[in-house]
Amino acid sequence: MTYRRSLLAPALLALLAAPASAQQRTVSLSDAIAMAQRVQPTTVQAEGAIRSADAQRLAAYGEFTPTISYSASASTSFTGLPAHTDPNGQVTNSSTSNTFSNGLSASIDLFTGLRRGADLAAAGASQLAADAGLVNARYQVALTTTQSFITALTQDQLVTVDSEAVDRATAQLQVATNKLHVGAATRSDSLTALVALGTARLNLINARAQLAAAQAALGRLIGIAGQVAAQDDPSFHHVVESIDTAQIRNDAAAQSPQVQSADANAAAAHASLRASRSAYSPTLSLGAGLNWGGSFQGSSGLNTFPSRNLRLSLNWPLFNGFARERTITQQEVAAEGADATAQDTRRQLDANVTQYVAQLDAARQNISISETSVASAQEALRVVQDRYRAGAATIVDVQVAQDALNAAEVNVLQARFSYLTAKAQIEALIGRPL
């Protein structure tokens, strides 16, 4: 992460230097993660995948139940006839008839070879894959939110660091001005201090601009329009002295949401492959129906009749233009790809554990060194300022000491940012807090 900023156009200085609104919302890390998981498309889609998998499994169980349907129909027909006289002396030359029918039918598959069992297994595997996918999605959203939260928090702390740098530069300008008034310093000292103050102010303005961007990004991530401030917590400043790398690797291999999701997807792909092969099996079905119909035609009155049927049918597709072979090949390719993805995920997991543990250890040591550097730089600045007041040091010496302290304070923030980021990445790998 880059903390040194480029200069902004003077016309933007007043706008960017304005303080944040008092109405700005502040969220904790836990609240930010919970809010992000409710609104981020990744988790919304993963939750939708679970509903789809539940529906798929329900349909797979439904294949073992009968299919029941009801039907009804009615019709009217008109037929023109030669003119004739009926027994009542009425002359007619047409005939109208009305018919209606309704019925209830049911059928059930008695034998489907491998299809129903394979479909049920595929549905169960898909449900496990959806569950694992949701867990993985939640951890990935938590990681992304944590990184955005840490960025906003670090930028906020950087504004504080740059504000302190402005205060130091202002105080030093006052010292140089006072010395100039009594003839103990040259005008060059005042100008040098003024330039240092201007640089510090520009750094502060840029820091506020980057803070606004980071807070806006955090707000978008958790579903809030505008800027959202990150709430500091003492636990963020707690550094774990050491971690058990071997245990981290074991936990990652056993509990990693990414690995579990990849393995579940591979199992679902193989179950779908088995289901596709069931197309070679015959199907034996039993069906029954009850129908009742009637007609009304002219003077013949209403005629009704019931009907019943019972049928046993065997269906065995012997050849369907290689459509089954195409489907099976597609499922084989999908299963091979899922296996390769699962294996690569495990290799990637091992590489990531090595990388993040090394980054965590380096950041932990860097924090300790940087904090010592800050204490040393503070003391060095105090000494050189005293020497400058006494006329034993130059304004350049003071400026060098101030720059060293600014850099040391920024280095501490960078180290803490790296530590928290590496920690969050490890937690996303192993599926639990460190």
Side-chain angles (χ1 to χ4, degrees), residues 201-334:
R201 286 175 173 171
L202 287 173
N203 286 339
L204 176 58
I205 290 170
N206 283 290
R208 285 174 174 165
Q210 292 193 5
L211 173 61
Q215 291 178 340
L218 178 60
R220 183 203 65 81
L221 196 62
I222 65 177
I224 296 179
Q227 297 175 221
V228 176
Q231 179 179 327
D232 200 358
D233 190 282
S235 63
F236 297 155
H237 304 279
H238 174 68
V239 178
V240 180
E241 293 300 326
S242 61
I243 60 174
D244 188 345
T245 304
Q247 185 63 42
I248 292 295
R249 292 186 183 278
N250 292 336
D251 290 347
Q255 304 176 23
S256 170
Q258 296 181 24
V259 171
Q260 291 179 356
S261 179
D263 288 344
N265 286 331
H270 282 281
S272 297
L273 174 60
R274 292 191 297 272
S276 67
R277 289 170 176 163
S278 68
Y280 287 105
S281 301
T283 300
L284 181 64
S285 302
L286 176 66
L290 174 62
N291 295 280
W292 183 80
S295 64
F296 179 83
Q297 183 172 8
S299 60
S300 61
L302 177 65
N303 299 314
T304 62
F305 52 89
S307 66
R308 301 175 183 85
N309 65 80
L310 181 67
R311 61 189 180 278
L312 182 66
S313 59
L314 174 69
N315 182 31
W316 193 351
L318 300 179
F319 180 74
N320 63 351
F322 303 108
R324 290 174 296 192
E325 287 73 15
R326 178 194 61 195
T327 301
I328 291 173
T329 300
Q330 291 173 341
Q331 294 297 332
E332 287 176 343
V333 171

Side-chain angles (χ1 to χ4, degrees), residues 136-159:
N136 183 47
R138 285 176 174 169
Y139 270 94
Q140 294 305 313
V141 168
L143 173 60
T144 302
T145 306
T146 300
Q147 291 173 326
S148 181
F149 185 93
I150 293 172
T151 300
L153 180 61
T154 302
Q155 289 296 152
D156 191 18
Q157 295 171 345
L158 183 59
V159 168

Side-chain angles (χ1 to χ4, degrees), residues 10-33:
L12 298 177
L13 298 188
L15 177 61
L16 296 179
S21 171
Q23 301 300 320
Q24 184 181 62
R25 182 167 180 175
T26 301
V27 296
S28 64
L29 177 57
S30 59
D31 289 342
I33 291 175

